[in-house]
Amino acid sequence: MKKFEVIILVAGLFLFGSLTGQSNGTQKNDIERIGLAVFMPANNQGMTPSARKVLIQKMNQIATNNGFGGDVFTKRFILTSKVNILTQNLTPTAPPMYAYTLNVTFYIGDAVTGAKFSNFSKTIKGVGTSEANAFNQALRKIKTSDVAFRNFVNTGKQKITKAYTDIGVANIKNQSQKETYNYNAILRW
């Protein structure tokens, strides 16, 4: 019974925080509420469903750790990534192990115009008893609290803020509601 009460209390606090955490009204408040929608292309090289889940979780952590997380009022601004397999080896050990070297490039951009605001690449390695295990192990090594991610996100945030200032909050909201998202342009980054 106590466990149930604790869950209800935590849920109530979470709900209260999300109801009172942000206001809408002025341009400054709207700019402060900019969030990044995480977008994962279906054709990422070698990605299993579990690897996609790990990478999506890492991207959500990157956005949240750098003040870009939470509910987004538009899915116009996105955080996405592309994975390239640099090396794939089978070790001559007993039992054989799979070893991957991956290059993961992260992008922040505008899904309406296809503009890229910021990008950052990270090379990671993983070893496992299966190809999927090695791939997932490599992705788990991404340190989302790395200063380089903070710089990457801050660059993107500055350019998105400039877009808001140049175009205007109302225009961005209107475009986001009327336009279709140009994910094909994003996939060519």
Side-chain angles (χ1 to χ4, degrees), residues 79-130:
L79 171 61
T80 189
S81 63
K82 184 174 183 179
V83 177
N84 290 308
I85 298 172
L86 299 178
T87 63
Q88 179 180 1
N89 299 309
L90 185 62
T91 64
T93 60
M97 303 287 276
Y98 294 87
Y100 275 100
T101 303
L102 307 175
N103 180 270
V104 183
T105 304
F106 297 90
Y107 301 97
I108 294 174
D110 185 336
V112 172
T113 66
K116 178 174 47 172
F117 295 132
S118 183
N119 67 308
F120 172 70
S121 291
K122 186 92 172 157
T123 301
I124 50 178
K125 295 181 179 189
V127 178
T129 55
S130 70

Side-chain angles (χ1 to χ4, degrees), residues 83-186:
V83 177
N84 290 308
I85 298 172
L86 299 178
T87 63
Q88 179 180 1
N89 299 309
L90 185 62
T91 64
T93 60
M97 303 287 276
Y98 294 87
Y100 275 100
T101 303
L102 307 175
N103 180 270
V104 183
T105 304
F106 297 90
Y107 301 97
I108 294 174
D110 185 336
V112 172
T113 66
K116 178 174 47 172
F117 295 132
S118 183
N119 67 308
F120 172 70
S121 291
K122 186 92 172 157
T123 301
I124 50 178
K125 295 181 179 189
V127 178
T129 55
S130 70
E131 291 181 16
N133 190 330
F135 206 96
N136 289 349
Q137 183 65 26
L139 293 175
R140 283 189 195 101
K141 289 185 178 178
I142 296 172
K143 303 284 187 227
T144 59
S145 59
D146 189 346
V147 173
F149 281 117
R150 187 176 320 128
N151 294 336
F152 156 69
V153 172
N154 283 339
T155 299
K157 187 182 279 190
Q158 289 170 359
K159 291 182 180 180
I160 289 171
T161 302
K162 183 175 179 347
Y164 262 77
T165 304
D166 292 349
I167 299 170
V169 174
N171 288 338
I172 286 181
K173 285 182 180 178
N174 289 336
Q175 285 177 351
S176 297
Q177 291 169 357
K178 294 176 185 175
E179 302 275 340
T180 57
Y181 297 115
N182 191 3
Y183 293 119
N184 290 329
I186 292 161

